Amino acid sequence: MDIINKIRESREEEEQLKWRGTFREYLELLKEHPHIAQTAHSRVYNMIKDAGVLERDSKKMYKFFGDEIYGLEDSLEKLVEEYFHSAARRLDVRKRILLLMGPVSGGKSTIVTLLKRGLERYSRTDRGAVYAIEGCPMHEDPLHLIPPHLREDFYRDYGIRVEGHLSPLNVMRLETEYGGRIEDVMVERIFFSEDRRVGIGTFSPSDPKSQDIADLTGSIDFSTIAEYGSESDPRAYRFDGELNKANRGMMEFQEMLKCDEKFLWHLLSLTQEGNFKAGRFALISADELIVAHTNEAEYKSFISNKKNEALHSRIIVMNIPYNLRVSEEERIYDKMIRESDMSHVHIAPHALRTAAIFSVLTRLKEPKKQNVDLLKKMKLYDGEELEGFKEQDVDELKKEYADEGMDGIDPRYVINRISSAIIRKDVASINALDVLRSLKDGLDQHPSISNEDKDRYLDFIAIARKEYDEAAKKEVQKAFVYSYEESAKTLMDNYLDNVESYCNKTKMRDPLTGEEMNPDEKLMRSIEEQIGISENAKRAFREEILIRISAYARKGKKFDYNSHERLREAIQKKLFADLKDVVKITTSTKTPDESQLKKINEVIARLIDEHGYNSVSANELLRYVGSLLNR
């Protein structure tokens, strides 16, 4: 019954948050907490900012989007700073419709949903509290009660600007219910809810012939005309359109560019002047964020139509491209799998990364910069350090194409193919090869892939396979080297002794004969070459190692096998190269002897305990790497 207790506690918490008082009492509250009079755009910006902002490499990372949107930091920073921040400061962009444009499954709908759910939560906090005239179907701002000729005085006293005019219904209620006494008008705290249609609206166009403008602006309640005597009596009008209900918050305009023109004209006045026309009334004020989303093809069709020119200048377009970072793409797949019915399936290490490499390659454009191919570009975008490249080179690559990431393979396709691989294999474990095979088979079934694209995509699958082959060999290499850990430490100590002698220009002494000898250049180079240290760079690398050893000694710390990442990698590769014959025999023998079997079991245990494999995927990995080494 724990869930019942939590429901009761939630209800009690909401009861405690409720507030009801007169306009006079509301002004006293406002004096203490002026932020509660913020505009809709300001509320959205503060909501994002209050969730936390991190600075990384002079770029802003917003925690509000952190657990849901991956790899779109640049786009999100532009969205928050150029649109929401500017709109919150009452700059002219708040008079624009926000249009998120990008490819399918790129994150547009997720961003809108996050904003809606975020506003629902934020309105239940002290910083995001929203107050409205009690009983108003549009949740009208109580400050609209202040007569226009007194608003300058109010600004001097409170430092708050009042925009908008009292709605026709509340004008009548002020006279009939309160006798014109503004200070007695009742005010209440409201909580945004899409389900209850409070402060959050969603409009989705349907058949233009049957859809009524009333869906946006409300309609006359004909059953009350006999009672009130006129269609222009606001009591005979239902203020229940999406624009009415979204007042004070935001409205999502789905498929806006497919809408009939008569629906779009209402947005002209709403965005520019902050009001819209409904029924036989004066213009009705509304303070709300209008956000829509579309793809590039629809947008180009929209702007090519001369009839839509008036709306062009009323729209701020924000590109939401596909993610272009492999590590973030992998997180997208992991999240989608965790939220699905596939979460029980064991997905071997590197399977999602290999799929992510393929996806990102399909989205990248050929670099114009010399000495950079798509694979290098992909690695640089993902933050890998490549010799000869700096951060400035990455920035230059990103500036080459303004529309990079607006096409390519979408995440849903990859998840669909992973699902297919699971069903086909009929085993609760899949690996990178299963995923690549399924991705390849699915290209024929993808309706929007041309033959030319298919040939390119097959090349990308081959590249992803090569990257996986290297990763698989490295994984097995690490597992085998751990089993020979003493050998690895001995090899490193031998290397360090030789490096010290080389850098200090001293002789070494043979531990058995006591004979003096020169540093073993052949040994040092055989290790350094494993990680691409050139002949010209060897001295700098060796001196760097000695400096690291000295730094550790000053701090009273011991320099060991794990103290220098690149040296550890070089030692592992050297030892693995020496052990390659052992690995070949051990992994490819159908009937291994007792010592080989013991070694296999040690490696499998290491792969399971420290690398995230299960027994099925670990055995598959060993067989595959054995076949690679035997080629």
Side-chain angles (χ1 to χ4, degrees), residues 38 94 157 164 196 228 256 265 268 280 309 333 337 373 399 401 418 465 479 490 498 502 587 606 612:
Q38 61 192 329
R94 72 193 175 107
D157 291 345
R196 296 173 187 170
Y228 299 120
M256 187 186 83
W265 300 140
L268 290 175
R280 297 178 180 179
E309 281 183 350
Y333 301 154
I337 287 167
D373 57 19
K399 289 174 184 174
Y401 299 97
I418 291 173
R465 167 79 177 269
T490 303
N498 279 276
Y502 170 84
T587 56
R606 179 76 61 180

Side-chain angles (χ1 to χ4, degrees), residues 356-391:
I357 288 171
F358 163 70
S359 298
V360 170
L361 285 172
T362 69
R363 300 167 188 171
L364 294 175
K365 293 185 181 289
E366 282 291 341
K368 299 174 184 175
K369 197 176 180 70
Q370 284 187 332
N371 304 323
V372 183
D373 57 19
L374 272 183
L375 189 61
K376 280 183 181 175
K377 184 178 186 178
M378 180 197 79
K379 291 180 177 180
L380 288 168
Y381 275 15
D382 203 35
E384 286 190 43
E385 292 184 6
L386 299 183
E387 194 172 345
F389 293 96
K390 300 176 182 175
E391 187 65 35

Side-chain angles (χ1 to χ4, degrees), residues 18-31 36 131-134 140-143 145-146 154 158 173-174 177-178 181-189:
K18 286 182 179 178
W19 184 93
R20 182 175 183 269
T22 63
F23 183 65
R24 184 197 299 274
E25 292 168 327
Y26 171 69
L27 289 182
E28 290 172 6
L29 190 66
L30 198 59
K31 201 128 197 175
I36 63 178
Y131 295 82
I133 295 173
E134 187 181 63
E140 187 163 9
D141 187 345
L143 294 183
L145 289 161
I146 298 173
F154 179 77
Y158 286 79
R173 290 180 64 207
L174 177 60
E177 295 179 31
Y178 299 101
R181 293 179 59 82
I182 291 172
E183 62 273 26
D184 293 339
V185 173
M186 296 306 295
V187 176
E188 64 180 346
R189 183 172 178 180

